Amino acid sequence: MSPAARRTRLSIAATSAAIAALVLVGCSSTVTGTPEPSAGGTMSSQPGTDLNTLLIDASSFPAPYDALVLPQQAISQAAPDLSGIPAGAEVSPAGCKPADQDFGPTGTAMIVGTDNDSRSTISIELTAVDEPLSTRMEQLEQCGEVTATKSGATSTVTSTLTPAPPIDADDTLAVRQTVASGAGGDAVTQSMLTLMAQIDNVRVSATFMSFGSETPDAMTLDELFTAAVQKVKQG
């Protein structure tokens, strides 16, 4: 195994281990439909709100998912893994790196459910933002293939937008992504299906992630995404 491939595998293992220790570890599918305009009179949160209060409960995750709200110190490790681009990585093309996040309780909150048999996860992430979801969509459209390099290890992130999920929110999108690193016997592929919605200043992301050929659990992902959006709308 080459040094770069070893560092890549260790980096992925470290991120998964961080989730595993907290959630007991840690694809693609097509979501059809069109977004619906947000109904008036709803409010997601006020500036300074602890986003953990807007997360769905662990009991919302059906079997076989064991779910746990991540403490803030773990979110800074887990969140970048959901974009496929490690924090501090050099990214090419320039401008394709996701916006910086505030990993404090008023900036990001996350709950992760893990299927311990398949080692796949469903993560619900709430993020306080100051830009519309369309900005992220435009970035994904322009960055279909991105190379990320950190500590000598390089990975390739491929993103494909799919029809946005039909849900009552200001805006929605869906994206399928793969993160490929290493070569030959050292090759590692991370597959993800992510649904996003924005309500006022809160972005809701639901991601199914697998490191194997596991068929994405699109039905459970959609159910949890819907519940997460409704919880944020209720405030």
Side-chain angles (χ1 to χ4, degrees):
M1 181 184 296
S2 67
R6 185 179 296 109
R7 284 192 294 269
T8 299
R9 178 158 290 181
L10 288 174
S11 176
I12 292 174
T15 301
S16 296
I19 296 177
L22 296 163
V23 198
L24 299 176
V25 271
C27 337
S28 61
S29 178
T30 300
V31 181
T32 59
T34 55
E36 302 174 7
S38 176
T42 60
M43 184 62 186
S44 58
S45 72
Q46 297 293 336
T49 298
D50 185 340
L51 294 179
N52 287 285
T53 64
L54 299 178
L55 280 174
I56 57 175
D57 297 331
S59 60
S60 300
F61 285 73
Y65 295 97
D66 292 318
L68 187 69
V69 175
L70 298 192
Q72 299 305 136
Q73 64 268 26
I75 293 175
S76 61
Q77 299 177 38
D81 198 45
L82 297 181
S83 70
I85 299 178
E90 295 182 6
V91 174
S92 178
C96 289
K97 189 173 183 178
D100 292 336
Q101 287 181 239
D102 171 8
F103 292 116
T106 62
T108 309
M110 186 183 299
I111 184 170
V112 181
T114 302
D115 179 342
N116 292 296
D117 290 333
S118 67
R119 294 177 62 84
S120 59
T121 61
I122 292 180
S123 303
I124 303 296
E125 180 182 24
L126 305 184
T127 310
V129 295
D130 57 6
E131 61 184 20
L133 186 56
S134 58
T135 300
R136 177 59 174 157
M137 181 178 67
E138 291 168 1
Q139 184 183 52
L140 288 168
E141 288 176 331
Q142 297 168 10
C143 303
E145 185 171 293
V146 177
T147 300
T149 303
K150 183 176 182 180
S151 301
T154 298
S155 59
T156 300
V157 184
T158 303
S159 303
T160 303
L161 290 172
T162 64
I167 197 166
D168 185 12
D170 297 337
D171 202 358
T172 64
L173 70 79
V175 60
R176 292 185 292 179
Q177 294 178 294
T178 59
V179 183
S181 57
D186 297 325
V188 178
T189 300
Q190 171 183 321
S191 300
M192 296 177 288
L193 169 61
T194 299
L195 309 179
M196 295 186 191
Q198 193 151 320
I199 305 97
D200 297 327
N201 66 314
V202 174
R203 185 168 297 170
V204 181
S205 300
T207 301
F208 178 92
M209 181 172 70
S210 173
F211 286 98
S213 58
E214 184 76 11
T215 300
D217 187 353
M219 181 177 294
T220 301
L221 179 68
D222 182 69
E223 291 174 352
L224 293 172
F225 173 68
T226 300
V229 170
Q230 292 174 342
K231 180 70 176 289
V232 170
K233 285 175 64 65
Q234 292 169 0

